[in-house]
Amino acid sequence: MQNKLSFHQSSVSLEIIGLPDYSNNENKDQISIISQWKLTIIDKPLIEGKIEHLVPIMDAFYIYSNLLIKNEIPIYESKLIDIKADNLNIHNIVLKSSKSNVEPLILKIGNSLLSDTINCFDQLKESSKVIIKKAFVSDSIPKKVRFGSGNKIRFFNFILPPLISIFSLILFSSTFIYFYNPVEDKDKNELINQ
Amino acid sequence: MSRYLYPYIREILKSKEDLDENSVIWNDFNKRFIELINERFNLDSMRVKKLLNQTKNDEVVIKSLITLSLCISSQGYQRLKKFLCDF
């Protein structure tokens, strides 16, 4: 008998079906071997798949939402899912089947459904009853963002001010070489001494 | 706080999605938003003037609402915090 867990957020619900890993002494009501998942969005076709599909789809939604907030052009494309913004309010999702003879499923969702879906994924991640094995987990933030401009900017902010001050001191002081003639100065001193 | 306001935030976003059918909530929200800015912000600032322009403030308002709606859980809050700190 498989366990079922559901996560709901307004018009979206996510159902996870699977078994506990008894070899890890897990409780009866836990799920760590996910056999199937179903994402139900009201008035939209049912989305379902295996664990291999769940993690990339979750990542796609997370990355897309980050791009949306970051004021960049929100486009996410992968082998499994494409998400593009039609306009500020409507998002176009294309789910591609791994089977060659199945046509891609196209969904248009608004900001409300997008945030419902992401909140369902958040609930799943927060749940202690569902364990998504590390083999399937990849970080939700793309590499470009994780090691991106933030650290570089912080580094440059740290290193640039002292470098600029040293170089400006050198430049400024080097100009005095042209104005100051040590030989003339020596002569003057000698004259004064006499 | 956004956790408790989520149903309202969601309804505002939904209202904006189909303005032809249900524009009341969006219009009320936008009206109140502008009233509050008028009361509390420095109206000489160019940025504030842009916020007050009803034809151009949609993007800022919608993105602010989406940001709020995405951090209703602690998981969402932590994810956004991590993301914004790296940004």
Side-chain angles (χ1 to χ4, degrees):
Chain A
M1 188 69 187
Q2 299 212 59
N3 289 337
K4 268 186 194 177
L5 268 174
S6 296
F7 305 95
H8 303 279
Q9 187 67 62
S10 307
S11 307
V12 177
S13 67
L14 176 68
E15 193 176 79
I16 304 289
I17 304 160
L19 290 164
D21 189 354
Y22 289 114
S23 63
N24 269 353
N25 291 330
E26 285 174 5
N27 289 332
K28 273 183 184 176
D29 56 347
Q30 270 193 324
I31 296 175
S32 61
I33 303 163
I34 299 170
S35 56
Q36 202 187 1
W37 58 272
K38 289 175 187 175
L39 183 71
T40 315
I41 305 173
I42 288 179
D43 291 337
K44 305 282 175 205
L46 175 76
I47 303 166
E48 57 184 336
K50 292 178 182 171
I51 181 69
E52 301 92 79
H53 307 130
L54 178 63
V55 176
I57 286 175
M58 280 169 69
D59 285 351
F61 273 89
Y62 283 135
I63 293 167
Y64 182 78
S65 68
N66 285 342
L67 291 174
L68 199 65
I69 295 166
K70 235 176 98 182
N71 282 329
E72 280 184 18
I73 303 157
I75 293 178
Y76 180 90
E77 284 176 347
S78 71
K79 279 182 187 173
L80 192 67
I81 181 170
D82 292 349
I83 314 179
K84 281 179 193 172
D86 273 5
N87 53 47
L88 259 179
N89 304 302
I90 305 293
H91 311 281
N92 205 4
I93 300 170
V94 181
L95 284 156
K96 300 167 205 168
S97 175
S98 46
K99 291 168 191 167
S100 57
N101 54 347
V102 179
E103 288 211 352
L105 177 68
I106 300 168
L107 299 173
K108 279 184 191 288
I109 61 168
N111 288 324
S112 55
L113 289 177
L114 179 76
S115 59
D116 284 348
T117 312
I118 291 170
N119 284 320
C120 268
F121 291 148
D122 281 343
Q123 284 179 39
L124 167 68
K125 276 193 160 185
E126 255 177 15
S127 168
S128 57
K129 287 187 176 177
V130 181
I131 299 161
I132 299 172
K133 286 185 179 169
K134 278 192 176 176
F136 299 110
V137 177
S138 64
D139 278 331
S140 57
I141 297 166
K143 274 186 181 178
K144 199 181 118 194
V145 179
R146 270 189 290 137
F147 306 110
S149 52
N151 289 340
K152 273 183 195 169
I153 289 167
R154 247 177 263 158
F155 175 74
F156 281 119
N157 280 348
F158 178 73
I159 203 80
L160 269 183
L163 270 178
I164 289 171
S165 60
I166 288 165
F167 280 118
S168 57
L169 263 174
I170 292 166
L171 268 173
F172 188 67
S173 53
S174 63
T175 54
F176 282 102
I177 289 168
Y178 297 102
F179 297 116
Y180 177 67
N181 191 350
V183 181
E184 239 177 52
D185 205 49
K186 243 186 180 179
D187 290 346
K188 268 184 189 174
N189 277 337
E190 276 173 10
L191 277 171
I192 290 164
N193 285 337
Q194 277 172 4
Chain B
M1 196 182 77
S2 60
R3 185 178 307 168
Y4 307 108
L5 293 175
Y6 185 73
Y8 302 102
I9 295 169
R10 196 184 173 283
E11 280 309 304
I12 296 163
L13 285 171
K14 206 178 173 191
S15 163
K16 178 66 182 161
E17 283 161 28
D18 43 27
L19 275 179
D20 301 332
E21 286 177 30
N22 182 17
S23 61
V24 183
I25 300 172
W26 173 258
N27 290 339
D28 282 352
F29 168 76
N30 219 359
K31 199 178 149 194
R32 183 69 186 130
F33 179 77
I34 286 167
E35 271 175 20
L36 284 171
I37 288 174
N38 271 319
E39 277 172 26
R40 292 157 196 237
F41 280 61
N42 173 18
L43 298 179
D44 296 328
S45 159
M46 281 305 289
R47 286 185 177 182
V48 176
K49 275 179 188 165
K50 271 186 191 173
L51 273 180
L52 288 171
N53 186 343
Q54 271 191 312
T55 51
K56 288 180 183 174
N57 70 353
D58 277 7
E59 194 179 338
V60 178
V61 176
I62 290 171
K63 282 187 176 165
S64 310
L65 287 169
I66 293 174
T67 309
L68 279 173
S69 71
L70 291 181
C71 52
I72 60 165
S73 61
S74 61
Q75 178 77 31
Y77 169 73
Q78 290 301 332
R79 184 168 42 80
L80 275 178
K81 195 174 151 188
K82 188 182 161 196
F83 172 73
L84 291 172
C85 286
D86 279 349
F87 179 47

